[in-house]
Amino acid sequence: MYMSKNITFQEIVKGGEDRSNWSINIYPFGYISPYVSYFFARFLPFTPNQISFLWGIIGLIGIFVMSLGGYRYLLAGILIYHLAILLDYVDGQIARATKNTTIGGSYLDTFFSWINRSLLLLALGVGLYRTDGNIIYFYLGLIAGFFFFLDNFAKLKVYECFINEKRYDLIKKRVGEVYESGKRISRGGITSKIKVFTAEMLRPFAPFSLLFFSILFDVSQYYLILMAIIIPIFFIKNFIEIYQKIGNIPTYKYLNIFFLFAPWWF
């Protein structure tokens, strides 16, 4: 399926996301993406899902370039990765403008986001190790990437447990809580905005985050050390909070003892 060549720029703009709860570092892509989306929609034969696949591959290329080490490769890799982030906005904008949103597109976005975000930190560690030969950077990247992956994995397992137990009401409730949380942020004052901005700046996959500027100014080793400390802490914090919320919810079917003692293996 090819993109519609009759789509207007105004339709592309209308397909953009609500920016009310965006952090300031994301805004540049909000202004650039409509023009890139319009170019793709009018002149390139890609569906939104194909663009999702394209940005995922470009992100992996950027990650690989970062892992080669040295200032030039680290900077080139993070710039390539930012191109992938931009295309991540483009696929959704075109899909909404052409009314071509699909579950497949959402799956590709989620899959590549999950993989790329974890590998990004590992690649930084490998790149820094290749830069000066200090093996500690490799281990720091491994720790940060592993716990970032594990944190996302633990959160997704909550929904799998709800489905296994046929507690679809809890899925709906959880989605509603996330939606209301987003609305509170968008309605919040300066304190909420600062919290969102701080979180976005710490996220390795966010555009123009501390990772980007740490590489730009050649101090990315300090960012990696920081991430290797705070990501495991946040994983433990989030894991405890999740269990506190669901630990005493009754189940309606038999759970075998192995599942109870090793839920992270499933």
Side-chain angles (χ1 to χ4, degrees):
M1 177 179 176
Y2 287 81
M3 293 293 96
S4 172
K5 294 185 177 182
N6 297 320
I7 194 169
T8 66
F9 182 74
Q10 288 71 26
E11 289 173 322
I12 289 291
V13 172
K14 289 181 180 179
E17 297 182 41
D18 178 14
R19 301 182 191 177
S20 59
N21 62 343
W22 278 21
S23 174
I24 191 172
N25 60 299
I26 306 176
Y27 268 85
F29 282 163
Y31 291 110
I32 298 171
S33 63
Y35 297 97
V36 180
S37 299
Y38 183 69
F39 177 79
F40 267 82
R42 291 298 301 269
F43 304 111
L44 297 179
F46 292 117
T47 66
N49 287 7
Q50 289 169 342
I51 297 174
S52 297
F53 188 81
L54 177 64
W55 81 250
I57 298 301
I58 291 175
L60 289 174
I61 292 173
I63 289 168
F64 172 75
V65 172
M66 284 180 59
S67 71
L68 297 177
Y71 178 75
R72 292 182 180 179
Y73 284 118
L74 286 171
L75 183 59
I78 198 62
L79 290 175
I80 294 171
Y81 193 81
H82 271 62
L83 174 60
I85 298 175
L86 175 59
L87 293 180
D88 186 21
Y89 288 90
V90 167
D91 62 0
Q93 195 159 33
I94 293 177
R96 288 185 293 272
T98 58
K99 296 179 174 57
N100 192 27
T101 56
T102 65
I103 298 297
S106 179
Y107 173 76
L108 288 174
D109 274 354
T110 304
F111 174 78
F112 281 116
S113 294
W114 193 10
I115 296 299
N116 287 358
R117 293 170 182 181
S118 301
L119 290 179
L120 192 63
L121 292 166
L122 176 60
L124 178 62
V126 173
L128 289 172
Y129 164 63
R130 292 172 66 92
T131 299
D132 66 7
N134 191 339
I135 192 65
I136 190 63
Y137 292 131
F138 170 77
Y139 290 121
L140 290 174
L142 187 63
I143 290 170
F146 172 74
F147 276 98
F148 192 94
F149 182 90
L150 198 61
D151 185 57
N152 280 270
F153 185 75
K155 292 171 183 175
L156 289 174
K157 280 298 176 179
V158 175
Y159 294 97
E160 183 178 335
C161 289
F162 290 165
I163 293 172
N164 288 341
E165 297 300 328
K166 297 181 172 58
R167 293 301 306 272
Y168 307 116
D169 57 315
L170 296 178
I171 296 177
K172 185 176 180 180
K173 179 182 178 181
R174 174 59 181 159
V175 172
E177 289 174 351
V178 172
Y179 176 74
E180 286 299 322
S181 176
K183 288 176 64 177
R184 286 194 295 271
I185 291 173
S186 65
R187 294 193 302 262
I190 186 65
T191 302
S192 296
K193 300 297 183 183
I194 291 175
K195 289 181 179 179
V196 172
F197 177 71
T198 302
E200 286 298 322
M201 289 301 288
L202 287 173
R203 297 182 204 276
F205 54 87
F208 309 110
S209 66
L210 286 180
L211 172 60
F212 172 81
F213 289 107
S214 69
I215 291 176
L216 180 64
F217 295 108
D218 200 16
V219 290
S220 56
Q221 66 272 26
Y222 301 113
Y223 176 83
L224 181 62
I225 293 170
L226 177 65
M227 290 295 101
I229 294 172
I230 69 173
I231 290 179
I233 292 174
F234 271 90
F235 162 71
I236 295 171
K237 172 181 175 294
N238 291 335
F239 184 83
I240 292 174
E241 288 181 352
I242 288 172
Y243 188 77
Q244 285 177 338
K245 288 183 177 180
I246 69 173
N248 294 319
I249 297 177
T251 180
Y252 296 114
K253 71 174 187 178
Y254 175 76
L255 291 177
N256 69 54
I257 195 68
F258 184 68
F259 178 81
L260 288 175
F261 283 97
W264 54 86
W265 287 8
F266 286 78

